[in-house]
Amino acid sequence: MSNEVSLKEWTWQSIYLAPAKLNLFLHVTGRRADGYHLLQTLFRFIDFGDRLRFVARDDDKVILTNPLPGVPVENDLTLRAARLLQAETGCRNGVEICIDKRLPMGGGLGGGSSDAATVLLALNHLWQLGVSRQRLQEIGLTLGADVPVFIFGRNAFAEGVGESLQLVELPAAWYVVLEPPVQVSTAAIFGAAELKRDSAPMRAADWKPGVGGNDLEAVAVSRFPVVGEHLRWLSAFGEARMSGSGACVFAEFGTQEAAVAVIRHLPAGMRGWIAAGLDCHPLHKLAA
């Protein structure tokens, strides 16, 4: 099937996926003069996430039909993404956006960033704007450091503040992901005085599965003890790590059966699920 034909499968009636990401490691290697932290991380997409639908409008308004509780509408990344795309291209089309929110807020899984990236990818396609993948990544970076990797669309070794991405091929894997019942503020974690900010940089070629840790984990655990409780429980079954700035924690397994066996032991009151690792973003073919 040609790419042109396959692209026709994606219509206004389609459900557009916004997958979660896991940080297989996350190191803080320094800080820029403007206060932004310099990071190195390995992003992996997994087959669990939010789902978005789009409805064309006859005017140029961008409307979110189901705003997220506690998030001012004007701050919502999906609305901002759509309006930035309009401004970038002079597009006068409008859209209604509906989000089936399945990823936790403040969970370190990139939910808001993934939603914004899916808006850029989907509307660039539906509005037939022809904006390049590279330019979409640049637009995405103005929304947040994690947005570009979702537009890049492949598992990646990332450096800088999220703009430098190198493709990494990863083996098949399954993940158990736990959701501690807290929302962790990324800004609060990065603003902590005790945060480790001097990890030695590594070359992308030197990274292997299992290498590195999460420099944000100690701060998150000290401020949100329940994150540590989830890490300790999961560590009984495999190497458990926190994703991003938290709160979610995960462990990798070689088979679906092994991951399912862990979930069967989940204590009452602890929320968790399993997901397979992805080779690429479900909407990767929507940009060139």
Side-chain angles (χ1 to χ4, degrees):
M1 180 182 294
S2 71
N3 192 54
E4 181 178 351
V5 172
S6 63
L7 285 178
K8 291 180 180 178
E9 298 173 357
W10 294 96
T11 70
W12 286 99
Q13 285 70 49
S14 299
I15 297 173
Y16 290 81
L17 305 178
K21 58 81 177 170
L22 298 175
N23 297 91
L24 300 191
F25 86 97
L26 199 168
H27 290 171
V28 183
T29 59
R31 199 171 190 176
R32 299 194 317 196
D34 61 6
Y36 279 94
H37 288 81
L38 298 173
L39 308 176
Q40 287 189 320
T41 190
L42 199 294
F43 287 108
R44 172 142 223 192
F45 301 128
I46 56 175
D47 68 347
F48 184 84
D50 297 339
R51 296 177 289 203
L52 285 76
R53 289 181 177 273
F54 301 91
V55 178
R57 290 182 59 87
D58 294 330
D59 54 29
D60 63 356
K61 292 181 180 179
V62 177
I63 295 174
L64 185 60
T65 60
N66 55 339
L68 295 173
V71 178
V73 172
E74 292 307 308
N75 292 345
D76 191 281
L77 287 181
T78 55
L79 290 183
R80 291 172 58 198
R83 288 167 180 164
L84 278 173
L85 193 58
Q86 286 179 323
E88 168 75 14
T89 61
C91 175
R92 300 185 64 82
N93 296 326
V95 68
E96 294 178 10
I97 303 169
C98 179
I99 304 175
D100 175 11
K101 192 70 182 168
R102 301 198 296 167
L103 296 176
M105 296 175 62
L109 302 179
S113 296
S114 187
D115 293 343
T118 288
V119 167
L120 291 173
L121 288 164
L123 292 183
N124 185 49
H125 168 68
L126 292 170
W127 287 342
Q128 300 182 356
L129 301 176
V131 180
S132 71
R133 185 186 309 278
Q134 179 59 42
R135 183 57 188 149
L136 289 175
Q137 288 178 214
E138 293 167 358
I139 295 170
L141 185 60
T142 68
L143 294 166
D146 284 352
V147 179
V149 73
F150 289 102
I151 299 167
F152 180 72
R154 302 297 299 273
N155 299 315
F157 186 96
E159 299 183 88
V161 295
E163 80 286 2
S164 176
L165 300 165
Q166 298 180 60
L167 168 66
V168 174
E169 300 287 352
L170 295 173
W174 285 81
Y175 298 90
V176 171
V177 182
L178 304 183
E179 296 182 18
V182 289
Q183 288 188 27
V184 175
S185 165
T186 298
I189 300 299
F190 276 106
E194 70 271 26
L195 176 65
K196 177 177 172 60
R197 297 181 170 90
D198 59 354
S199 284
M202 74 171 83
R203 297 187 311 153
D206 293 336
W207 182 84
K208 297 182 177 69
V211 169
N214 186 334
D215 288 343
L216 311 184
E217 191 174 292
V219 176
V221 168
S222 70
R223 301 195 176 196
F224 300 93
V226 69
V227 174
E229 294 168 13
H230 282 65
L231 279 167
R232 285 189 293 275
W233 184 86
L234 190 54
S235 292
F237 302 93
E239 185 176 3
R241 297 185 176 185
M242 189 180 78
S243 184
S245 56
C248 291
V249 303
F250 69 94
E252 180 178 309
F253 298 90
T255 66
Q256 181 179 12
E257 291 74 19
V260 168
V262 175
I263 286 293
R264 287 188 181 133
H265 289 90
L266 202 64
M270 189 176 283
R271 175 175 169 78
W273 36 271
I274 66 172
L278 297 174
D279 289 330
C280 68
H281 193 290
L283 307 182
H284 183 258
K285 63 185 178 183
L286 292 190

